[in-house]
Amino acid sequence: MRTLFHFMTAAVVALTFVLAPPAQAQAAKGRAADEAALRKLVADQTEAWNRSDAAAWSKDFAPDAAFINIVGTVFNGREEIEKRHAFVFDTLFKGSRTQVTVTRLAFIDNAVAVVDTEHVVTGYAGLPPGVQATEPGVLKTRMRLVMKKTGKAWRIVAGQNTDVKPMPAKAAPAGQ
């Protein structure tokens, strides 16, 4: 009986080592697929900006998403987010181009992720009141997006865009 017990214990331990790697590999594969999906969402949104396509830029926001723009205005819901972006694409940011870099992608759990991006916007017609170019002809911003996976699709549930302020002018040395 003792030999049978030792055999069964050894078999369970062996199966644990045999079965665990495939489970871990599957989880890693799922995480890689989710990361790729999130990066594609950001790339698609970038392309939509460069086409001035507010509907495409806003399509991945959840219906009840909240978005804070670079001047601190809160837009509630995908419809309002789209409407406001249609306005800026037709006015201040008409003809602008953006380059977006994902700087951080962190999974809170299997269905929630935070994506931080840096944006370099050029070719704009003007800037919102209170916003200054980060450098001549260039507006840089940092965006944080909170994403939630619903079914197989990732949706933006919250976002905030913050402009990067220009470097302060160097002060002249005292006495000059």
Side-chain angles (χ1 to χ4, degrees):
M1 191 67 150
R2 184 172 242 190
T3 303
L4 180 60
F5 175 77
H6 287 288
F7 173 77
M8 294 292 285
T9 302
V12 168
V13 170
L15 280 174
T16 300
F17 286 112
V18 169
L19 296 177
Q24 290 171 346
Q26 187 64 26
K29 185 177 178 181
R31 181 62 50 96
D34 284 335
E35 183 173 338
L38 292 168
R39 288 181 183 279
K40 182 176 182 331
L41 186 152
V42 170
D44 290 349
Q45 198 176 48
T46 302
E47 290 174 18
W49 178 284
N50 290 333
R51 292 190 315 269
S52 297
D53 186 341
W57 192 87
S58 305
K59 74 176 178 55
D60 293 311
F61 281 88
D64 60 346
F67 182 77
I68 303 170
N69 74 0
I70 60 175
V71 296
T73 304
V74 178
F75 305 134
N76 290 302
R78 181 189 312 133
E79 286 183 30
E80 185 177 3
I81 293 166
E82 180 181 338
K83 180 180 174 184
R84 295 300 298 166
H85 280 83
F87 174 77
V88 298
F89 287 157
D90 285 340
T91 57
L92 298 172
F93 290 102
K94 185 173 188 162
S96 68
R97 304 279 303 164
T98 189
Q99 294 177 332
V100 180
T101 303
V102 174
T103 57
R104 180 174 167 264
L105 197 155
F107 289 93
I108 307 305
D109 64 26
N110 290 333
V112 178
V114 175
V115 180
D116 290 341
T117 58
E118 289 184 354
H119 299 240
V120 177
V121 183
T122 57
Y124 47 83
L127 295 172
V131 175
Q132 302 173 39
T134 309
E135 54 193 64
V138 177
L139 173 64
K140 294 182 181 180
T141 72
R142 293 190 180 103
M143 182 133 28
R144 173 163 288 166
L145 300 171
V146 179
M147 312 277 208
K148 183 171 181 8
K149 190 173 186 180
T150 305
K152 292 186 178 188
W154 285 92
R155 295 287 174 245
I156 303 166
V157 295
Q160 181 164 348
N161 195 13
T162 305
D163 59 325
V164 177
K165 305 295 183 207
M167 293 296 293
K170 292 183 181 179
Q176 287 189 3

